[in-house]
Amino acid sequence: MVGSHKVKKVASDAVAFLEVLDTAGVVADLSNQVIDQSSKAKDIGLVEYDKVISPELQELMTQARVTRQSVSAELYFVKNNRSPKLYISARATLLSEELVILLVEDRTEAKRLDETRRDFVENISHELKTPISAISLLSEALQVALDDPAQVKKFAANLQRESKRLGALVTKIIQLSRIQAGDLKGEIAVFDLGHVIDEAVELNQFLADSKGVRIAADTPSGIMVDGDSELISMALKNLIENAVLYSEANSNVGIGLSVVDGFAEVAVIDKGIGIPVEHQERIFERFYRVDPSRSRDTGGTGLGLSIVKHAANNHGGEVTLFSKPNLGSTFTFKIPIHQDHQSEDDK
Ligand code: ADP
């Protein structure tokens, strides 16, 4: 009895320590019966009917006891089919002759980030390969065609196009990884959104003129927002660029700006090819393109909308899409308006 009291005391002291460290952990006896657990362990739902739910975790505790060593593992843990699957790192070790302690760390988010990063790097390598191998082939062709000025001219033009594409891709990759890392170099300040839209239109004017697309922007000044104006400008430039690129010659692209429920909303409207509904959710993913061959013709990277989405999210906003194939698309970019401005409006 005294022994069992002492064991319980050791267990509860250990758990008190885990509470201080804010760690998920359970203390169990020689038959893996849980004696005590920390609040974090309860949050995860590690224990049911005095047993740790996962057979792998029980095995880990047994191993620690048998080998008298600290043992660890990384594994997936699912409490039940209504709970999310967690990726955990677990370590079991002897606490005393009668007790084993199991420490669990939820690494789901870290693993997701790792995977996202790995995917990103894989995608980048894949996307870089296309223009690089085109450049290499073109330069070989150029060497062979030295005596034929017409061919040389053609290959040189293609070479220039491919290297421009490579440059654009690298620039967007850098922009995107910066935004994703939350490393906004630009200054956070209050700025007039209408002016930034005008700038973004200006940056696309040459492209629009060369495609015969007319941009009609209705951008009232005085709608103030907080944030990184450079990043917002980059996002809007991408949206307008897409509207122009995915429109037919002689069509119009419209841009509107208004305030709705405390948010500044920029609508970029085109009457272009539209986006089939099954692709609409995915086009904001990195490197996702509805029609990769067409996108390649337009010099697309599949990164533009991903930058737009991150820019909106980083500013507490969002980007939404309404689109019908062959009728056109409307992208709406919303970010909160500057607070003082909002209260003046409410007066
Ligand atoms: P890209 O550089 O290929 O244009 P984005 O990330 O900007 O990459 O866009 C992803 C894909 O979404 C494009 O490849 C295209 O298929 C589709 N898309 C984007 N904007 C439009 C638009 N305004 N009209 C039709 N399709 C669009």
Side-chain angles (χ1 to χ4, degrees), residues 242 246 270 275 283 288-290 295 300-305 329 331:
N242 280 347
Y246 296 103
D270 69 63
I275 301 159
I283 55 165
Y288 191 83
R289 288 172 285 206
V290 174
S295 171
T301 59
L303 289 176
L305 288 179
S329 312
F331 283 87

Side-chain angles (χ1 to χ4, degrees), residues 245-304:
L245 284 174
Y246 296 103
S247 286
E248 300 300 331
N250 296 320
S251 58
N252 289 334
V253 163
I255 297 159
L257 169 62
S258 56
V259 176
V260 182
D261 295 334
F263 279 79
E265 294 196 358
V266 186
V268 179
I269 307 157
D270 69 63
K271 302 265 176 283
I273 61 169
I275 301 159
V277 69
E278 65 271 23
H279 295 285
Q280 289 185 9
E281 199 144 305
R282 298 204 58 196
I283 55 165
F284 294 98
E285 291 172 17
R286 288 181 313 235
F287 298 110
Y288 191 83
R289 288 172 285 206
V290 174
D291 175 354
S293 61
R294 180 177 172 126
S295 171
R296 210 158 286 136
D297 289 344
T298 61
T301 59
L303 289 176

Side-chain angles (χ1 to χ4, degrees), residues 15 27 30 33 70 87 93 103 121 143 191 250 254 267 269 280 282 293 317 325 328 331:
V15 167
V27 180
L30 296 178
Q33 179 96 3
S70 178
Y87 187 76
T93 193
L103 301 174
V121 172
Q143 272 176 335
F191 63 91
N250 296 320
I269 307 157
Q280 289 185 9
R282 298 204 58 196
S293 61
F331 283 87

